[in-house]
Every structure is written in C-alpha cells, then in structure tokens.
Amino acid sequence: MIIDRLSRAAQYRCLSPHISKAIDFITRADVGTLACGEYELDGRSVYGIVQEYDTILSGENQLSRGTWEAHRKYIDLQLVVSGREGIGWADISTLAAGDYNSQQDFMPLVGDGHVLTLVAGSFMLLYPWDGHMPRLAVGEPEHVRKVVVKITYEDSSRG
C-alpha cells in the first residue's frame, strides 16, 4: 500500500508501465470534471472509474461487522478529487478470506484493520495483499468525488 499526494504521483511511474498509464490519467487537468463512469486507458489492462457518493459512518457499514475486500487481478489506484474519505486497510494475511469471485475479482475478508484518511488531492495504491474498505466517513458523512483506476497486476514472481 502506498499513500501520497497527487503532486508527487509522477514519482511512481517507474513501478510499471501500467501504473504509469494510470498516473497519466489521474494527473490530467480535467480529471476532476470528467463525467462519472468508466474510461478505458489500455483496454481492460488499465481503466478508470469516476464516481461520486456519500461516505458512511462506520457503524452503518461493514467496518463494524468486519467485512473487507481485496483483488487478485488488479491493483487499485484510488484518488480523492474532492471531500474526505476514510479507507480501512489491513494486510490480507491478518484477515480471514471468504470465497474469491474471479468474475468480479473480488475477495471478501473479515477481521480488523486501520482506518486511513484520504483528503482531496491524495491517492492510495492498493495491491492484491492489501485488504481495504473504502467509503468510510471521517467524522460526519460527506460527498466525495473519486477516481479509481484498475491496473492489471503483473507479479514477476508468478512467471
């Protein structure tokens, strides 16, 4: 997991060509005004999702019940464009895994973790070993505009 400010995003281009494409997308001058929806950047290898929603108090969502998520095929790059959002984080080795859905690239997890705060202009890179839970309110619920880029995970150790 990596957390940083958008102003330093270019420092992470060296991690992979796919991450570089994702950074190109989130650093576009118009990223904050794009319509909500999906944007293919390199087919399904790298694609962006622009979304808006209201954050949820932790007592109203999965955090109080301990349900988390992780992905095997994709890295998530999550950029908060406006608002504040808490994102639960835990290493998946500390969580109990449910059944993985390969069609949705979704693995439910149960356990405890930490809540990290993303403010406007900050982003988080979440790898397959990073259990996470987005959409948490920081204090009171608020409206968030966010860009999530799904980046194909290429693990050279699997080859």
Side-chain angles (χ1 to χ4, degrees):
M1 181 254 319
I2 295 170
I3 298 177
D4 209 337
R5 300 286 302 163
L6 186 59
S7 61
R8 290 188 288 267
Q11 301 299 315
Y12 301 97
R13 289 182 192 281
C14 63
L15 294 175
S16 82
H18 288 321
I19 289 175
S20 186
K21 288 177 185 175
I23 290 169
D24 287 344
F25 182 66
I26 67 166
T27 57
R28 289 173 47 163
D30 67 343
V31 74
T33 60
L34 291 174
C36 289
E38 284 194 15
Y39 295 83
E40 285 196 5
L41 309 175
D42 186 4
R44 296 311 279 178
S45 294
V46 184
Y47 64 96
I49 306 164
V50 177
Q51 52 190 242
E52 291 188 26
Y53 51 82
D54 293 326
T55 58
I56 305 167
L57 290 172
S58 63
E60 298 173 352
N61 68 36
Q62 303 140 345
L63 186 62
S64 62
R65 296 188 301 273
T67 303
W68 298 70
E69 68 181 67
H71 314 290
R72 291 184 180 165
K73 298 176 187 174
Y74 287 97
I75 297 167
D76 276 3
L77 188 161
Q78 300 194 13
L79 167 70
V80 173
V81 176
S82 64
R84 295 180 306 159
E85 176 179 16
I87 297 182
W89 175 86
D91 188 289
I92 63 169
S93 67
T94 66
L95 302 169
D99 293 332
Y100 174 69
N101 180 327
S102 63
Q103 294 295 320
Q104 295 180 348
D105 188 33
F106 179 83
M107 181 170 49
L109 304 159
V110 176
D112 295 317
H114 308 280
V115 177
L116 306 166
T117 300
L118 291 183
V119 297
S122 59
F123 69 91
M124 179 181 259
L125 272 169
L126 295 155
Y127 284 81
W129 51 86
D130 293 317
H132 55 284
M133 183 183 310
R135 298 185 178 214
L136 302 176
V138 178
E140 291 298 313
E142 63 183 278
H143 194 72
V144 169
R145 182 169 179 80
K146 184 173 173 180
V147 177
V148 176
V149 184
K150 305 296 275 185
I151 305 161
T152 297
Y153 175 62
E154 298 169 351
D155 181 356
S156 61
S157 69
R158 289 194 281 186

